[in-house]
Amino acid sequence: MIETPPLVDQYCQGVLRTELGLATFEAQLTGSVGPPAPGTTFFDTQTGFAVRRWCPPLLGLEPHCAPARYLARRRELGASETARRLLRGSGTGAYLVDTGAWGDLTDPKELALAGDAEAFEVVRLELLAGQAADTSGTVAAFLANLAAAVHHAAAAAVAFACGTRTGFAAALAADPGPPGPGEVRGAAERWLAARTRGAEPRDPVLLRHLLWSAVTCGLPLQLHTGGADPGPLAGFVRATEGLGARLVLRGGYPYHRHTAGLAAAYPHVHADLGPVLVRTGPRAGAVLAELLELAPFGKLMFSSGGRNLPELHAVGALVFREALGRVLGGWVAEGAWSWQDAQRVAGMLAADNARRVYRLGERG
């Protein structure tokens, strides 16, 4: 049996504090903004089936129980107790929490308490820019406040992150290099004149400025590619090589092989193993094996990608453990790997790589 240390979930968000109805819960399973197909629910997905397999036993129910029965048990326990049972049942020892998400979500300290684990903050760059703009009356003040905010965040957080909705990938595809001071000032002036309070930047020059500000701070930078080809990031990857930056590519399914390829080709690039495994359900082992074929084992890190629902944090961890045991255990059984090597690699993927990349030992 392949064993792992307590997992380091290298990217997740907080969980909702509120009770959820059936429709709201289902929508959170996939993040969909529209309704499911007529006559179906969002439980009719690989993620939904994975939740029904892994989560009911943590709440005292049989695996694969009906969604209505599961949600009734959830309401009986309450949101707080449900989160506590699911998070503690996941085998996770540390969470790296993106605090830039919307909604009434638990902060890192609350998530740590619920999960009986450590928690560290990942700062969303676009949110820093929005906050700086809200408190600045002039372009000069905005740029000064933004620089101070990035510097302050670098002292407290373990990583920076940039999401997909602002279009950073397209900005880097057009020009991966750092913009000049005049470009940044002009872009800031245009954005501040047109923005509404709370809005995040979408200007390509400002996005590049944010990313390069993060690179110079020395923290790892998480780049979420979503379901897109990470190819447009190749220029930025090349431009940051040798600067001491550590880039972590998240998402990318069904382009996960391309993400792993970039991690293999560049010493400062790492790839996320996370939510892709939940989305592929019973094929999680096959997808994990593909990633292990392409990237050095020291370049791959687990994450759940959990957001809003503690079920997603738990399922991400449990599917990963099961797939890892199945793949590495199969190779040991075939004689391709020794048991000792399988245990060592399992520890790398589950926790050791993340603790090294994010220097968590220095934060303890």
Side-chain angles (χ1 to χ4, degrees):
M1 179 179 178
I2 304 299
E3 298 179 357
T4 65
L7 304 178
V8 174
D9 188 344
Q10 67 106 24
Y11 180 86
C12 66
Q13 298 172 5
V15 302
L16 289 164
R17 298 186 178 95
T18 54
E19 300 288 351
L20 301 176
L22 176 61
T24 305
F25 183 92
E26 288 183 10
Q28 300 297 334
L29 284 175
T30 61
S32 175
V33 296
T40 71
T41 79
F42 286 124
F43 274 102
D44 294 325
T45 59
Q46 290 288 14
T47 301
F49 274 36
V51 166
R52 290 177 55 210
R53 176 187 179 185
W54 294 104
C55 294
L58 298 179
L59 303 188
L61 298 172
E62 69 279 5
H64 306 293
C65 70
R69 176 171 167 76
Y70 178 78
L71 291 175
R73 177 60 172 162
R74 206 180 189 278
R75 289 191 297 272
E76 178 185 333
L77 292 171
S80 178
E81 178 63 12
T82 295
R84 189 187 74 82
R85 292 192 183 197
L86 291 170
L87 295 174
R88 295 189 181 196
S90 71
T92 301
Y95 295 97
L96 275 60
V97 187
D98 177 355
T99 55
W102 294 98
D104 183 24
L105 304 181
T106 54
D107 61 29
K109 289 183 179 179
E110 292 173 294
L111 197 67
L113 182 62
D116 190 24
E118 298 178 280
F120 304 90
E121 184 177 13
V122 175
V123 172
R124 185 79 67 88
L125 289 168
E126 306 98 305
L127 184 64
L128 286 185
Q131 292 171 340
D134 287 341
T135 57
S136 303
T138 65
V139 172
F142 164 68
L143 293 176
N145 289 341
L146 178 58
V150 172
H151 179 76
H152 177 75
V158 296
F160 288 110
C162 194
T164 57
R165 64 179 179 268
T166 49
F168 78 90
L172 292 177
D175 186 346
E183 287 183 273
V184 174
R185 184 176 181 85
E189 186 172 4
R190 293 190 300 273
W191 180 58
L192 292 174
R195 81 184 284 270
T196 57
R197 186 174 181 83
E200 297 177 351
R202 296 177 182 273
D203 183 278
V205 172
L206 282 182
L207 292 174
R208 285 165 48 218
H209 175 64
L210 282 172
L211 291 166
W212 278 98
S213 297
V215 165
T216 60
C217 282
L219 289 188
L221 174 59
Q222 298 182 348
L223 299 173
H224 192 337
T225 63
D229 185 347
L233 301 178
F236 182 68
V237 167
R238 288 191 293 270
T240 53
E241 186 176 7
L243 300 181
R246 288 156 287 160
L247 305 182
V248 181
L249 304 183
R250 298 187 49 251
Y253 187 78
Y255 298 99
H256 55 290
R257 297 178 67 89
H258 299 186
T259 301
L262 285 172
Y266 294 93
H268 65 306
V269 178
H270 300 76
D272 178 70
L273 291 171
V276 57
L277 302 183
V278 176
R279 295 194 192 103
T280 51
R283 289 198 66 254
V287 174
L288 177 60
E290 288 182 357
L291 292 166
L292 292 172
E293 291 170 3
L294 292 166
F297 308 139
K299 294 296 202 74
L300 300 171
M301 297 182 289
F302 160 74
S303 83
S304 70
R307 69 204 184 286
N308 298 348
L309 300 179
E311 282 82 358
L312 298 177
H313 298 70
V315 166
L318 295 170
V319 168
F320 167 74
R321 283 181 181 276
E322 193 273 340
L324 187 66
R326 182 154 35 99
V327 171
L328 300 191
W331 292 343
V332 170
E334 294 168 1
W337 283 32
S338 71
W339 181 85
Q340 291 82 359
D341 281 338
Q343 286 290 140
R344 181 171 57 85
V345 172
M348 292 164 61
L349 304 178
D352 297 345
N353 291 341
R355 290 195 176 277
R356 182 187 73 252
V357 170
Y358 295 103
R359 297 173 179 165
L360 299 187
E362 302 173 19
R363 302 279 177 165

